[in-house]
Amino acid sequence: MTVTILLTILGLIIFEVVTSVDNAVINAEVLSTMGERARRWFLTWGILFAVFVVRGALPWLIIWVVNPSLGPMGALFATFSNDPAVHESIERSAPVLLAAGGTFMIFLFFYWLFLEEKNFGLPRAERFFMRFGIWFYAVVAILLSTIVWFALKQNPVMAFGAVIGSTAFFITHGFKENAEKGEQDLLKKDGKMSDISKIFYLEIIDTSFSIDGVLGAFAFTLSVPIILLGNGIGAIVIREITVRNLRQVKRYLYLKNGAMYSVAVLGTVMVLNAFGLHTPHWLAPLATVCVVGYFFLKSSRELKGARA
C-alpha cells in the first residue's frame, strides 16, 4: 500500500510538471516585463494561491458537483473524511467524474496530435496525423457519440458527465488560445498594462492550465489529500523551474510529447474505469513515469548529440 501511494504521488508530481511547462513559459515571458517587486510577490504569494486555492478548491468543487447531496460543506469535509459511508458515496459517483475527466483528457490528446505544432518525437505517426488535422473534429465527435451511447445504457448521468468533459475542453482551450494572444500584447514594449493587472492575468492563466492537472489526477486516485500533495509539490517544482531553469527545460524537446501520450493513457484509464473495467491502481502512475521517462531520455540523447 505504501509503495502504491508513493508511486501515485510521484506520478502526480511528474504529470503536474510536464503538463505545466507551457504555463511556465507564459509565466516566465510575462514576468520578464514586470518590476522586481511584482515578480517577487507573484512567485511568493502566487504559489500559495496556485497550490492551496486553485488545486485545493477544484477537487472540492468537483466532488461537490458529482455529489450534490453532500452540499458544499459536506463535500469539503468529505475530501478529508475517513467515514466509510462518505467514501462509498464518492465511489458511487466516480463513474460520472471519470467519464467527464476521461473525455476531457482524450480530447486534449487528440487536439495536440492532430492540430498543435510540435517537435516530432514519433516522426512517422505524428506527421501522419498532422497531415489530416481537419479530422480532429470528426474524431472527437465520433468518440463523444460512442461514449455517450454506451453510457446511456449504463448510467444516463455518466453520459452527461462525458458531455461536460467535452464542454470543459473547448472552454479551457479557448482560454489557452486567448492566453497566447494576450501574451504577445503583454510583451510589447509599449504595452500599458500595469504589474497588478499582469499578476491577475497570470493567476487566471494558472487556473485554466491547472484544470488539466486536477482532472488528470483523478485517474491516479480519488483521494483528494493525495491529489493535493502530488499536485501541490508539482506546482512548487514548476514555479522553481520558471525562476531558475526554464531555458534548460525548453531544450528537452520531447517533454510535451511525453505529457500528451501520458494524457492519452490517463484518459483511456478513466473512461475504462467509468464503465467498470477497473485497471490496477499502479497502472496510471507507472505509465506516466515510463512514458515521460522515455521521452525525457530521448530528449537527453538529442541534446547530447547537438552538443557533440
Side-chain angles (χ1 to χ4, degrees):
M1 180 65 72
T2 302
V3 174
T4 302
I5 292 174
L6 292 176
L7 183 60
T8 300
I9 293 172
L10 177 61
L12 285 167
I13 294 170
I14 293 174
F15 182 69
E16 174 69 26
V17 169
V18 295
T19 55
S20 298
V21 170
D22 287 348
N23 186 20
V25 171
I26 293 176
N27 285 350
E29 297 290 351
V30 175
L31 285 169
S32 67
T33 69
M34 295 165 59
E36 177 62 30
R37 183 179 179 184
R39 283 201 300 269
R40 188 167 58 249
W41 192 96
F42 176 75
L43 292 169
T44 302
W45 296 104
I47 187 64
L48 295 177
F49 181 83
V51 173
F52 295 107
V53 178
V54 175
R55 286 163 180 81
L58 278 177
W60 160 70
L61 181 62
I62 290 169
I63 294 295
W64 177 24
V65 168
V66 298
N67 294 273
S69 62
L70 293 175
M73 295 308 297
L76 177 62
F77 293 131
T79 58
F80 300 98
S81 173
N82 290 321
D83 186 345
V86 172
H87 283 281
E88 183 180 347
S89 174
I90 294 175
E91 288 288 343
R92 285 199 305 269
S93 66
V96 180
L97 170 60
L98 293 173
T103 302
F104 178 94
M105 303 298 276
I106 291 173
F107 276 37
L108 185 65
F109 167 71
F110 278 114
Y111 177 83
W112 172 82
L113 186 64
F114 278 96
L115 293 175
E116 194 170 314
E117 293 296 326
K118 63 181 73 65
N119 297 303
F120 295 113
L122 301 176
R124 290 185 179 179
E126 291 168 5
R127 284 197 177 97
F128 172 81
F129 286 105
M130 284 286 287
R131 285 200 299 270
F132 298 96
I134 193 63
W135 282 92
F136 162 73
Y137 299 99
V139 168
V140 296
I142 292 170
L143 279 171
L144 179 61
S145 299
T146 302
I147 293 171
V148 169
W149 172 259
F150 286 104
L152 284 171
K153 298 179 178 181
Q154 183 169 325
N155 183 350
V157 182
M158 190 169 77
F160 180 66
V163 174
I164 291 295
S166 68
T167 303
F169 166 77
F170 286 108
I171 291 174
T172 57
H173 174 65
F175 273 112
K176 290 176 184 179
E177 280 199 334
N178 184 66
E180 293 174 358
K181 296 176 182 177
E183 179 192 2
Q184 300 305 315
D185 294 335
L186 289 176
L187 295 178
K188 292 179 181 177
K189 292 184 178 179
D190 59 346
K192 301 185 182 299
M193 185 176 283
S194 67
D195 283 352
I196 293 177
S197 298
K198 291 177 182 178
I199 288 173
F200 278 112
Y201 170 81
L202 289 177
E203 294 295 357
I204 292 171
I205 296 305
D206 267 4
T207 301
S208 64
F209 272 92
S210 68
I211 292 173
D212 300 359
V214 172
L215 284 177
F218 285 102
F220 294 85
T221 178
L222 294 176
S223 173
V224 173
I226 293 178
I227 290 174
L228 291 178
L229 180 60
N231 281 4
I233 294 174
I236 293 171
V237 170
I238 200 66
R239 198 58 62 95
E240 284 299 309
I241 290 173
T242 301
V243 178
R244 303 176 187 277
N245 298 306
L246 183 58
R247 289 184 180 179
Q248 180 66 24
V249 171
K250 289 170 67 176
R251 292 176 184 173
Y252 290 84
L253 300 178
Y254 307 120
L255 281 181
K256 183 66 177 287
N257 303 62
M260 289 298 104
Y261 286 115
S262 66
V263 161
V265 173
L266 296 180
T268 303
V269 166
M270 293 177 85
V271 171
L272 290 176
N273 287 342
F275 282 100
L277 303 173
H278 297 293
T279 58
H281 291 296
W282 48 262
L283 179 62
L286 182 62
T288 299
V289 172
C290 292
V291 171
V292 174
Y294 169 77
F295 284 100
F296 176 79
L297 292 174
K298 184 178 178 68
S299 302
S300 298
R301 287 195 297 268
E302 185 153 323
L303 188 59
K304 289 179 181 177
R307 289 173 177 171

